[in-house]
Amino acid sequence: MKKTMMGNYAASWGAQLARVQVIAAYPITPQTLIVEKLSDIVADGDLDAKFIKVESEHSAMAACIGASATGARAYTATSAQGLALMHEMLHWAGLARLPIVMTNVNRAMAPGWSIWADQNDSLSQRDTGWMQIYASSAQEILDSTLIAYKVSEKVLLPTLISFDAFFLSHTMEVVDMPDIELVDKYLPPYKPDYKMDVNDPRSFGALTDEQYYYEFRYKMQEAMDEAVDIIKEAGKEYEKITGRLYDLIHPYRCEDADMILVTSGTIADTTNVAVDELRAEGKKVGNLRIRVIRPYPKKEILEVVKGVKKLAVIDRNISPGYSGIFSQELKSALYNEVDIPVRSYIAGLGGRDVKIEDIKDMANDALKNDAPNDLIWKGVKL
Amino acid sequence: MIEIRMHGRGGQGAVKASFVLAEAAFQGGKYVQAFPRFGVERRGAPVEAFTRIDDKPVQIRSQIYYPDGVIVLDPTLIEVVDVTKGLKKGGWILINSNKKPDFFDFGDDYKVYTVDATEIAVQNRLGSRTAPIVNTAIVGAFAKLTGIVTIDAVFKGIDSSIPRFQEENKNAAKQAYDSIASG
Amino acid sequence: MVIKFQKNDKPVIITGAKDMPPMGAALGSMLQNKTGSWRNVRPIIDYDKCIKCFICWKVCPEPAIKIVDELPVIDYDYCKGCLMCAEECPKDAIDFEKEGK
Ligand code: SF4
Ligand code: SF4
């Protein structure tokens, strides 16, 4: 059924439809509405879940880890400083191979104190062993939550779903809620092979010497590799029940493009509109939205970009001392495979609006200049 | 696609008004997007909210800079903020006021409409006399002004987005629909 | 964009990175941020009831309460009307009224 809702509520309803069993969360702007709505949903009896109030984000993730280890479907949501506070527990959830799903509202790290969109919070958690999705619409937030549990529970890796503060979290739009019967068929209850069970005791997280730790890392990598195809399959299966297809990457008008813009998050949606305008001006430009950054869809990206003359990446994040993170990832994927110049732009940090004109400026700059460039500050006030 | 900017004061319900407007358009079969200006809201300070309405899903995810129309919930704002900023030539301005449209001088580039949403809200006991809730009256006036949504869609929008005093809200919308004045 | 700040009565004009401190520090003083304009209720101290415990002075988040001649005095240029002072006053010496309009 179609309804209007804010992006944050799409996350709450996604968790409700996934029939999560344990929710442990701590409020933080701009995530607060997600958890508020979920506590309403639980209190109203629309979801049979245990809602655990905790004293910090670190505890929220710890509670999710405990719940997931016993075989419960666990959910939490956070943002920025809250996600950073979880950092230790994120590694734990990853290495314990627990299929927790978490929503993160992308918000700039402080100081200067900011509550606005910026991807540095989640990208700082890139190496914790979580799969990472960047959503670009409220619909996708809801859908991704369901697909994420399906994938996570299959490959036994947690998933982080991130989306831009305010541009999605507080923006109301039309969302098609799938029927719960269809979702139940798509996402049956979680039945893990290994779980904490008093009737079948095992020890978890015990001392692991150098003879074995290495192999756990190897198995984690195997699971990530496997996840690429499983994400595709889970996406196709979801399409069968809803008509909406999600993949690791979403190319738009890339087939015959001379130059492709590489984007993520809400900037990607606006870029589609900019591409239409550029096309109308006779410029053969495409947009490649990276939806999943872990596992990194290297093969899929190369497939799309291989014939192209130039690439331009727009990053709403920065790894200080080097460059934008999506840009680094892209360049490492190209290396040894194809020789395409990449121009890398930083835009929209701390929630600065990235307008259609801004995207067209960057595209035109990239069309004009053939030399690769690792770091171009779009619109910095000097 | 049409883009609308709403001017109000913090606590006056501008954001809610942009949502109710979007809800009415959605009930009329449109795709919509509504959002506040992303700032820190302070009571009494000027605030803005935005609504986009289209026949296909809205993909632009930046704020609105060149609106087709502007709604002013509080006429005292006209002295404090430039409500016509970026307003497209030929665009409309809908003001909550008991004055006739020609009381306001915005030049020949724009079309001005007024509706006494405050009085309508008070008559229907929406909010209090000091803080009347004018959302639904404004949306009723908008329906008449633009023809983008029917008054029935506005009623449906009220049913699906406003939990209480639905009849009073519908009356307010209808009264505003019938009484909007054009310049 | 040009942002103007007053510092020691001299305007500081900030046009971009070159004018800004390296960290997220205040680009001027919060004294220039007259939070009194946010207020929609006005706290009023009844000095007949006041026992000079200065709890209000301590809890005011702005802080908009000063101690003048050993009495708490509200500076309405900065009082934002949050009423934490009234809430915490042990003698209920702080009442409030709605701001005009
Ligand atoms: S808290 Fe009340 S009693 Fe204490 S100093 Fe303030 S006004 Fe006086
Ligand atoms: S109302 Fe709030 S800001 Fe004003 S004096 Fe009391 S505590 Fe301070």
Side-chain angles (χ1 to χ4, degrees):
Chain A
M1 192 184 49
K2 281 194 180 142
K3 280 187 173 180
T4 58
M5 64 180 79
M6 279 188 270
N8 271 344
Y9 291 157
S12 319
W13 287 110
Q16 187 263 355
L17 285 168
R19 293 192 193 273
V20 300
Q21 293 160 298
V22 174
I23 302 156
Y26 190 81
I28 179 170
T29 303
Q31 155 266 32
T32 315
L33 296 173
I34 301 178
V35 190
E36 246 173 42
K37 176 62 93 191
L38 269 170
S39 77
D40 278 353
I41 292 172
V42 173
D44 290 349
D46 291 330
L47 174 65
D48 183 15
K50 176 101 185 140
F51 190 95
I52 307 174
K53 281 183 259 166
V54 286
E55 71 283 3
S56 78
E57 286 85 356
H58 188 275
S59 313
M61 187 43 65
C64 285
I65 287 170
S68 185
T70 66
R73 191 170 280 162
Y75 175 83
T76 186
T78 190
S79 183
Q81 319 289 127
L83 183 65
L85 183 56
M86 281 181 189
H87 179 71
E88 181 209 357
M89 290 284 110
L90 297 184
H91 279 288
W92 193 285
L95 283 161
R97 305 291 299 274
L98 298 170
I100 300 163
V101 172
M102 168 159 62
T103 306
N104 173 62
V105 186
N106 277 133
R107 155 183 162 179
M109 297 300 296
W113 197 245
S114 167
I115 53 172
W116 296 284
D118 191 303
Q119 296 171 327
N120 256 65
D121 57 352
S122 53
L123 287 168
S124 301
Q125 308 301 339
R126 189 190 59 181
D127 301 334
T128 53
W130 286 59
M131 295 184 279
Q132 280 211 21
I133 296 173
Y134 288 83
S136 73
S137 69
Q139 181 73 61
E140 186 180 342
I141 295 168
L142 185 148
D143 294 338
S144 294
T145 311
L146 302 173
I147 300 170
Y149 276 111
K150 179 132 185 135
V151 175
S152 277
E153 289 169 7
K154 205 154 196 171
V155 299
L156 298 183
L157 288 169
T159 304
L160 180 66
I161 302 167
S162 293
F163 57 85
D164 290 336
F166 297 97
F167 292 109
L168 276 188
S169 68
H170 288 64
T171 296
M172 162 182 154
E173 56 187 37
V174 182
V175 174
D176 194 353
M177 297 246 297
D179 288 338
I180 186 83
E181 294 77 32
L182 290 175
V183 175
D184 283 345
K185 250 185 253 155
Y186 177 76
L187 186 64
Y190 173 43
K191 294 246 160 50
D193 291 336
Y194 302 94
K195 64 171 180 180
M196 278 189 196
D197 182 351
V198 284
N199 298 315
D200 179 18
R202 298 163 187 268
S203 69
F204 289 84
L207 182 70
T208 310
D209 66 20
E210 88 294 351
Q211 291 299 316
Y212 295 102
Y213 185 91
Y214 185 103
E215 280 69 25
F216 283 133
R217 279 296 190 188
Y218 175 82
K219 287 178 80 74
M220 184 182 241
Q221 179 63 22
E222 252 185 352
M224 278 283 183
D225 288 344
E226 223 183 285
V228 172
D229 284 337
I230 292 175
I231 292 170
K232 284 186 209 166
E233 280 160 29
K236 284 193 192 120
E237 205 183 313
Y238 193 75
E239 186 192 16
K240 280 196 202 118
I241 62 165
T242 62
R244 294 184 294 275
L245 178 66
Y246 295 97
D247 205 335
L248 289 91
I249 55 170
H250 285 215
Y252 180 70
R253 302 185 83 166
C254 286
E255 309 80 29
D256 62 337
D258 290 334
M259 185 186 79
I260 293 178
L261 293 153
V262 181
T263 56
S264 65
T266 53
I267 291 177
D269 261 28
T270 312
T271 301
N272 284 347
V273 183
V275 161
D276 286 343
E277 292 188 10
L278 289 160
R279 286 269 176 171
E281 294 165 17
K283 293 164 185 162
K284 285 169 91 179
V285 176
N287 177 28
L288 176 61
R289 170 161 83 94
I290 310 294
R291 178 171 170 272
V292 178
I293 193 173
R294 282 294 178 277
Y296 194 70
K298 173 171 169 171
K299 206 171 89 232
E300 292 66 19
I301 290 173
L302 287 174
E303 196 59 39
V304 173
V305 305
K306 62 178 190 284
V308 90
K309 295 200 191 84
K310 213 181 291 174
L311 290 163
V313 191
I314 305 176
D315 266 298
R316 183 174 245 152
N317 61 76
I318 174 120
S319 173
Y322 195 13
S323 66
I325 295 165
F326 279 89
S327 157
Q328 293 170 35
E329 300 263 322
L330 177 72
K331 282 181 285 186
S332 85
L334 300 178
Y335 192 74
N336 286 344
E337 306 281 352
V338 276
D339 189 9
I340 305 170
V342 178
R343 287 180 73 82
S344 307
Y345 298 85
I346 303 290
L349 301 183
R352 185 168 298 178
D353 206 1
V354 179
K355 307 185 282 279
I356 295 177
E357 299 97 275
D358 300 327
I359 295 165
K360 286 170 75 178
D361 277 356
M362 290 184 261
N364 284 324
D365 177 78
L367 283 167
K368 259 199 303 267
N369 296 293
D370 287 333
N373 192 325
D374 284 342
L375 188 60
I376 305 161
W377 292 87
K378 167 63 191 160
V380 65
K381 291 180 284 217
L382 291 171
Chain B
M1 181 171 64
I2 94 150
E3 299 185 311
I4 301 145
R5 183 173 66 216
M6 195 90 59
H7 290 275
R9 287 186 184 275
Q12 213 175 35
V15 179
K16 180 73 183 170
S18 72
F19 281 26
V20 175
L21 182 62
E23 182 69 23
F26 165 67
Q27 292 295 339
K30 304 281 184 185
Y31 283 93
V32 294
Q33 199 189 59
F35 50 96
R37 174 174 287 286
F38 310 135
V40 181
E41 190 166 311
R42 300 172 321 204
R43 202 159 265 283
V47 296
E48 291 169 21
F50 308 92
T51 304
R52 287 192 171 101
I53 302 173
D54 203 352
D55 292 321
K56 53 184 196 328
V58 180
Q59 282 216 309
I60 305 179
R61 301 203 172 275
S62 62
Q63 304 201 24
I64 291 172
Y65 297 90
Y66 307 106
D68 298 278
V70 169
I71 295 175
V72 183
L73 297 180
D74 178 346
T76 65
L77 280 168
I78 293 168
E79 292 139 40
V80 207
V81 291
D82 178 8
V83 298
T84 59
K85 189 168 182 225
L87 181 59
K88 282 184 193 146
K89 225 177 154 159
W92 49 265
I93 307 166
L94 170 61
I95 306 168
N96 169 19
S97 166
N98 56 9
K99 307 277 189 324
K100 290 262 162 296
D102 47 22
F103 176 84
F104 300 94
D105 182 16
F106 288 108
D108 298 332
D109 285 348
Y110 313 116
K111 231 173 138 23
V112 180
Y113 300 81
T114 55
V115 66
D116 195 354
T118 300
E119 179 55 28
I120 293 172
V122 169
Q123 280 175 20
N124 288 284
R125 298 169 184 278
L126 297 170
S128 63
R129 189 161 278 276
T130 43
I133 298 170
V134 300
N135 301 335
T136 41
I138 282 291
V139 175
F142 167 84
K144 181 66 170 283
L145 185 169
T146 63
I148 289 170
V149 291
T150 62
I151 191 73
D152 283 334
V154 174
F155 291 164
K156 275 199 217 161
I158 289 170
D159 280 334
S160 63
S161 68
I162 296 178
R164 297 193 304 154
F165 306 117
Q166 291 176 343
E167 281 318 305
E168 289 82 347
N169 277 296
K170 285 181 197 169
N171 279 340
K174 183 72 172 73
Q175 262 173 273
Y177 184 89
D178 291 336
S179 66
I180 178 174
S182 62
Chain C
M1 192 185 20
V2 178
I3 314 163
K4 286 187 188 140
F5 291 93
Q6 292 288 132
K7 199 176 182 193
N8 307 328
D9 292 330
K10 283 192 206 99
V12 179
I13 296 174
I14 291 173
T15 56
K18 69 177 184 323
D19 309 316
M20 292 164 61
M23 76 296 283
L27 303 169
S29 156
M30 283 303 279
L31 284 174
Q32 288 142 33
N33 189 5
K34 296 269 169 83
T35 43
S37 67
W38 306 0
R39 188 177 62 238
N40 61 359
V41 286
R42 167 183 290 254
I44 296 160
I45 300 176
D46 179 347
Y47 293 106
D48 291 337
K49 290 190 192 163
C50 173
I51 56 164
K52 303 184 202 174
C53 69
F54 301 120
I55 288 175
C56 56
W57 169 82
K58 195 171 162 190
V59 299
C60 174
E62 272 313 312
I65 300 184
K66 293 174 188 146
I67 300 174
V68 183
D69 295 335
E70 290 185 34
L71 280 175
V73 175
I74 297 173
D75 183 342
Y76 292 105
D77 277 351
Y78 297 99
C79 165
K80 63 186 176 186
C82 68
L83 297 185
M84 279 172 69
C85 52
E87 181 69 28
E88 296 300 330
C89 172
K91 289 287 160 195
D92 285 337
I94 307 181
D95 201 0
F96 60 90
E97 61 185 30
K98 236 181 141 75
E99 283 292 348
K101 267 200 211 174

